[in-house]
Amino acid sequence: MFDLLLEGAPLYFSPASVLLTVLGIIGGLVIGVLPGLGPLMGIVLLLPVAFHLEPIPAMAMLIAVYVGGSAGGSISAILLRIPGTPLAAATLFDGYPLAQKGRSQDAIGLSITASSLGGLVAGIVLIFFSPVLADFALNFAPPEYAAMALLGLLTIAVVSEGSAIKGMLAGGLGLAVATVGTDEFTQAYRYTFGTINLTSGPNLVAVVVGLFALSELFVQIEGGNFRDRPQIQKLRISFRAFRLIVNHRWNVVRSALLGTGLGAIPGAGGDVSAFVSYAVARRLASEEEAYGEGAEGGVVATEAANNGTCGGALIPTLSLGIPGDASTAVLLGALFLLGFFPGPELFQYHADVAGGIFLAYLASNVVLIVLGIVLVPFFGTVLKVPKAWLLPLVLLLSTMGTYALQNSVFDLWVMLAFGGIGYVLRKAHYPLAPIIIGMILGPVLENNFRRALLLSRDGPMIFLERPISATILAIAAVMLVYVTITTVRPRKRS
Amino acid sequence: MTLTSRLVAAALGLAALAGPALADFPERNIESIYPWAPGATMAASQVIADAMGDELGVNISVVSTPGAGGVKAFETALSRDADGYTLFDGYVAPLVIQPMKGNADWTYQDFTPLWSATSNSFAIAVRADDDRFDDLSDLIAYMKENPGDLRYSPGVAGGIPHMVGAATLMATDTVAQLVPYPEIDVAVRDMRGGILDFMVTNPGVYNVNKADMKVLAVLSDMEDASATYGGAPLVGAFDIDIGMANLSPSGWNWWLVRKDTPEDVVTTLRNAMEAALNRDDVRQRLLDMGYVPTGFSPDQYEEIVGAVAGELEHGQKAIEWETEKLNGL
């Protein structure tokens, strides 16, 4: 376990990686603070930049944005009662009341320290569990990969926000997009419409930027209020939170572990884990801690959990190649495009890269605690940036970044097209993450399925004869039945 | 902005654009468009790119542009200006095989060659602890008794490793189930896991996975090919003639630029590549990775590439023969 960290150390501890971690945390916090953006948007906008960097500094930057962005969302939740990201939705239950009592300083301090410590706890779990899981996955062959990809697709579609049916339809769209390109077995072109630009499918980064960044832009433009500047309290740097958090140490550990566990289940995601750990903390709390009226424990529980989820989501991403949520799906795509295949091979042949990524995650959380506190006054200023400045910047970054990928105007059309698709789907309340996951897992599923059939002497029986693939398929079947029942039967709402 | 200031700005802009064209080549970093996904083979191209970059005083980055059997990379490079800042890592697949199959509308004569880079032979390998097969004769005997029972992968279907593998099977009238993989690196995993029985490997992959595989025969008639597989026997030692000789049963690449690249730029690039390939440390690193520096000069391009193109037809026929056999099982 520690061998991995030792092997990764020379790769990670370079000026570039450390600097990019620091910049990534700052960028992540800023983008997390801004309502409507969030860690995924941060990763999406920086993805094109990442391809011009070495793999480890690139991943360090993206992971830092992921960590910083997940933590940053709480600040606007506390100050404005607008969660910067859905991850921070539960933070406003107690964060905002705490700020109303004139303790916004403490609320932000607690949320940053809890996020950081929650992330560190998750980091330790990540370092222990990923290699174990990856080691187990060494027994995987095409049937298991096909089964795992199917399970990953189903879980993410099912658990994603919105209805399960819409999630699955969005996943199906991703699968359809994934069929465009060159057939791996016969080298035949599929749906390329005679253009060479589509022979390896639409560029994943262009799709991601269009789907998430551009569609968000359209939605924000539609929302208007381009010149609004919120009124917020004046903020100072304060280290009091370091003292306060000690009172909540068990809450931090418990919430972080809950977050990590839920994060490791593909599709569960940070918003779910934040609400779950908030509910648990509330139940365990004493009478005098008035949850919902500004309890410190409420902020700690949600923030430790949602950052813990980031570490948790990295576990299946790195060890199995199955992303835990939309952000990790994009991180997974980045790792693919940087030339590394997440999964057992990553730990076996590129232990240094795996170790470097772990270190990047740990370091991000350490940097977060320092910068998060020091930069508090700055976030107050960031929150006052009106949309009229912000939206053109997002458009500029999206366009430049996507074009710079391979100097291709075609990629810009792809971005624009998926921006439109993303906008329409958002309007119809379809989740977008399953599309990306479908695009990433589609080829894994298809090619391993066909390969398994070639390897088989007995048609599809190969999937049932092998215990691991049979088990995974059984889980998928149970899940499908469960979803069908819950969808068909009218839901009771409490 | 007034009209005058706009004109001044435009003039300044034009001057800035015109500047580099007048300066000496190379002024900025160069890209070499590599046609496969990153892996063991890309490292060999990287070694040459680094050394050549040293000679030129700029950085040459190897850009992986996989897709459509190498065609995507060529199309990408063709879409760039013919200014020498984009090089083609001209692997045999996009250069010769894809046009032969009608998947690309160029021939090898449509490019200006720099120097040939490396060649690598392919070999038949089994799991290191597979005691069913001590040598190639055992494998062939088993396949004769149990046609279609074994499963093998040459990596991508239709590539040279597949041609060479199929040619070997055709020469011995044996058949095994073909299982294509996008990258040969991934096939190693499944051979190790026991789900594949043998594979057609390249020296890069062999070097990384030495401990897990046993090479039964090197599919080449060139003596130095054996050395890249730890001295494993050549296929000829088993009295098998696969019908492909010299360079044709191996993978090789020739670095190229667009045909209309200015002559002085071509000369600069050729000199740099020649100097890079002549460096002892570069040669040694390539050999250590299993890639033999071929060192054919630009004026040998026509003769060598032209000859190979003809011989690959045999490999293509072997694949067709194999498909028929597999369909008949």
Side-chain angles (χ1 to χ4, degrees), chain A residues 138 140-143 145 182 184-185 187 189 196-197 199-200 339 345 348-349 406 448 451 454-457 466, chain B residues 38 66-69 71-72 75 103 148-151 156-157 177-182 189-190 192 195-196 209 212:
Chain A
L138 270 181
F140 281 24
Y145 277 102
T182 307
E184 211 176 279
F185 290 76
Q187 308 297 319
Y189 295 155
I196 193 76
N197 294 306
T199 49
S200 38
E345 281 81 17
Q348 207 173 12
Y349 299 121
Q406 33 187 6
N448 281 299
R451 206 169 288 131
L454 280 177
L455 286 162
S456 169
R457 282 274 161 280
R466 297 175 60 96
Chain B
V71 172
K72 173 97 187 269
E75 290 275 3
N103 292 337
D149 216 31
L150 297 185
R151 302 150 226 221
V156 183
Q177 176 63 52
L178 165 78
V179 185
Y181 282 75
R189 177 194 74 201
D190 287 348
R192 206 174 44 219
I195 202 161
L196 280 176
N209 300 283
D212 294 317

Side-chain angles (χ1 to χ4, degrees), chain A residues 174-250:
Chain A
L175 288 180
V177 175
T179 58
V180 176
T182 307
D183 177 68
E184 211 176 279
F185 290 76
T186 61
Q187 308 297 319
Y189 295 155
R190 300 195 298 201
Y191 310 115
T192 57
F193 303 102
T195 164
I196 193 76
N197 294 306
L198 284 174
T199 49
S200 38
N203 188 303
L204 181 67
V205 179
V207 173
V208 169
V209 173
L211 219 44
F212 291 99
L214 231 54
S215 72
E216 179 66 40
L217 197 72
F218 298 152
V219 171
Q220 297 264 0
I221 290 172
E222 201 180 33
N225 303 330
F226 296 113
R227 304 219 167 265
D228 284 4
R229 287 167 192 263
Q231 292 302 313
I232 44 175
Q233 300 165 18
K234 197 152 178 62
L235 297 167
R236 286 176 295 105
I237 299 174
S238 152
F239 293 97
R240 219 163 81 92
F242 290 123
R243 201 149 40 79
L244 290 174
I245 194 82
V246 179
N247 302 331
H248 300 283
R249 53 193 180 278
W250 296 118

Side-chain angles (χ1 to χ4, degrees), chain A residues 414-452:
Chain A
V414 170
M415 177 186 82
L416 190 63
F418 277 90
I421 294 172
Y423 173 76
V424 172
L425 291 179
R426 261 172 205 246
K427 285 275 145 188
H429 304 287
Y430 279 83
L432 299 178
I435 303 177
I436 297 301
I437 289 157
M439 272 185 77
I440 292 179
L441 292 184
V444 178
L445 173 61
E446 184 201 334
N447 294 324
N448 281 299
F449 178 72
R450 291 169 70 183
R451 206 169 288 131

Side-chain angles (χ1 to χ4, degrees), chain B residues 21 73 92-93 98 104 114 124 135 142 144 160 164 202 208 238 243 260 284 295:
Chain B
V92 55
Q98 295 297 353
L114 302 179
I124 289 188
D135 61 18
Y142 187 98
K144 280 208 190 277
I160 294 194
V164 184
N202 67 42
V208 181
F238 300 93
D260 38 355
Q284 196 52 51

Side-chain angles (χ1 to χ4, degrees), chain A residues 234 279 288 469:
Chain A
K234 197 152 178 62
E288 64 249 38
S469 82

